[in-house]
Amino acid sequence: MRAFALASLLALAAGAQPAPADSALVEDVLDALAFDVLDRSPVGSRAAGDALRDTLRARLLADLRPDALRPALAFLRGPVNRAYTERYRATQARLSTAAGLEDYMDAVTDGKKGALADSAAVDRLVRAQRVAELSRHVMEGLFQRIEAELPALAERMRAEAPSPEDELVQASANAVGEATSALRYTLRGMPAADIHAAAAFYESPAGTHLQSAVNDAMVAVFLPMVFEQMAGMYRALAALEGATIDLDAAAPSEDAAAQGEVDVMPELIGGLGKLQSRVAYPEGARRDGVEGTVVVEFVVDEAGRVTDPVVTQSPDPRLTEAALAAVRASRFTPGRHRGRPVRVRFGLPVTFRLQDARAAPADGSPRPGAAAAGGG
């Protein structure tokens, strides 16, 4: 049973060279986690789901524990988790309707008798799945990024609340409460004994290992998304207020538009497929079984060129160079502010998969689809 996605730096080096059987075991676990549901969740997209899967794969391979993954796979494929997955999908479909949403609100706010799952069982499951820990890590990481990259916003938060950290802790507690209510609604009608059985798995060494990996991956993938959404809202607010504050002291240009005040974001010419066709999997990294995601941040200048690229996360230096080469060769339609081209910060994760690299040409030339990349 997966933890609920609350919100959420692509991370974690693969480094390991697992046996084929171990790699297959990890892939089976990933498939059993049913990430197609996460792909359609409100916090993500298909690209985010792929990034989450890639990051979790790297995490599990870097800390490979077959003795924990085998019982985890047995649970994920077992009747309790299958029943939960079916209920989760049915609930998501129901909540897409007005009647379903009204029923949910009535159930969680009025506490209709019999409308929600056993509270003690669900509370145990939430603790076992370490939902509070996930929420706290997201909130702490969010404030750290705000302090580092949006000092004006951090200062504003302190002015409005003497202890913004306490406010974030409270927001984290609220998020856990909302997740618990959603879980109680999703599991309504499910026997309390089955919910306790799921909690018992996540309290076991195998469940703890799996949930720790899932939480790490979710923080790594969704934290940048949450930060970018918050930063965008704040920048829009600052523009509406006529603010002239420095939103990013590290911006390479003094032009305010380069620091986030942009009406139209840059667009990658040729799309991600074009970028993929330029990514060559380094032979040495492929031979050593190295895979993972490289995160490249850069500035798209007024002419749509990539400038000042910096790798903020990489599992291996060889992948770093390959990703940089592909990104440097990319071109964008420039971002615009008030009708004129401006410099805009941008980012791309470039993911290297060994299963894709195996189909690459023998001469080592790039093959379309040899790596997957997502826009930032």
Side-chain angles (χ1 to χ4, degrees), residues 11-18 22-23 26 54-66 69 209 213 216 289-292 315:
L12 305 169
Q17 300 181 38
D22 292 331
S23 294
V26 170
D54 292 340
T55 304
L56 182 54
R57 177 190 293 110
R59 170 68 166 76
L60 292 174
L61 289 174
D63 185 18
L64 189 59
R65 301 185 193 178
L69 291 180
H209 174 61
D216 286 348
V290 177
E291 61 181 4

Side-chain angles (χ1 to χ4, degrees), residues 28-372:
D28 286 343
V29 169
L30 293 174
D31 290 340
L33 281 169
F35 276 90
D36 58 313
V37 174
L38 278 181
D39 290 346
R40 294 193 296 270
S41 70
V43 296
S45 62
R46 176 62 64 178
D50 289 343
L52 180 57
R53 185 182 179 108
D54 292 340
T55 304
L56 182 54
R57 177 190 293 110
R59 170 68 166 76
L60 292 174
L61 289 174
D63 185 18
L64 189 59
R65 301 185 193 178
D67 290 344
L69 291 180
R70 291 190 187 99
L73 182 60
F75 169 78
L76 293 171
R77 288 178 171 173
V80 172
N81 190 58
R82 284 203 305 271
Y84 165 76
T85 300
E86 291 173 1
R87 289 175 185 275
Y88 180 82
R89 294 185 182 187
T91 299
Q92 291 298 100
R94 180 163 175 74
L95 290 178
S96 65
T97 67
L101 187 58
E102 182 179 0
D103 178 67
Y104 169 74
M105 295 303 297
D106 288 345
V108 300
T109 57
D110 299 336
K112 286 182 180 177
K113 186 176 181 180
L116 301 175
D118 180 86
S119 58
V122 171
D123 287 344
R124 180 187 176 189
L125 179 59
V126 168
R127 288 193 300 272
Q129 288 187 326
R130 300 159 73 176
V131 175
E133 177 182 305
L134 171 62
S135 179
R136 186 176 66 254
H137 286 172
V138 169
M139 293 300 178
E140 290 174 349
L142 178 61
F143 190 70
Q144 289 171 0
R145 287 203 63 175
I146 290 172
E147 285 188 307
E149 301 184 43
L150 294 174
L153 177 54
E155 182 179 347
R156 180 171 182 163
M157 291 174 68
R158 289 193 178 92
E160 295 176 354
S163 301
E165 296 89 344
D166 293 341
E167 297 291 325
L168 290 176
V169 169
Q170 183 59 51
S172 175
N174 293 340
V176 173
E178 292 174 4
T180 303
S181 295
L183 192 56
R184 289 188 67 200
Y185 182 76
T186 299
L187 298 182
R188 65 196 187 285
M190 190 170 184
D194 286 350
I195 303 175
H196 280 295
F201 163 72
Y202 283 107
E203 291 166 348
S204 71
T208 298
H209 174 61
L210 178 63
Q211 196 56 48
S212 177
V214 169
N215 281 4
D216 286 348
M218 293 178 74
V219 172
V221 172
F222 292 119
L223 176 57
M225 295 171 56
V226 175
F227 173 79
E228 289 304 325
Q229 290 175 354
M230 172 170 277
M233 288 188 292
Y234 177 63
R235 285 163 174 156
L237 177 62
L240 288 173
E241 293 176 346
T244 57
I245 54 179
D246 180 9
L247 295 178
D248 187 350
S253 168
E254 295 182 358
D255 189 333
Q259 301 169 30
E261 296 177 14
V262 56
D263 302 321
V264 179
M265 289 296 291
E267 183 175 345
L268 180 61
I269 295 175
L272 298 180
K274 186 68 173 178
L275 174 64
Q276 290 175 308
S277 71
R278 287 192 291 268
V279 179
Y281 212 120
E283 181 58 33
R286 175 168 50 181
R287 185 174 56 251
D288 294 341
V290 177
E291 61 181 4
T293 300
V294 179
V295 182
V296 185
E297 294 185 359
F298 49 92
V299 173
V300 178
D301 68 13
E302 297 88 342
R305 296 168 299 199
V306 171
T307 63
D308 304 317
V310 176
V311 170
T312 60
Q313 185 67 49
S314 176
D316 187 276
R318 292 166 293 187
L319 301 188
T320 296
E321 292 305 316
L324 278 173
V327 171
R328 285 193 184 105
S330 300
R331 290 293 181 270
F332 291 76
T333 56
R336 291 183 173 274
H337 180 60
R338 296 177 181 174
R340 62 186 180 88
V342 292
R343 294 163 60 87
V344 180
R345 282 192 174 280
F346 209 79
L348 290 173
V350 181
T351 302
F352 295 79
R353 296 191 184 95
L354 288 171
Q355 63 187 30
D356 296 330
R358 294 190 189 101
D363 61 4
S365 59
R367 178 185 62 81

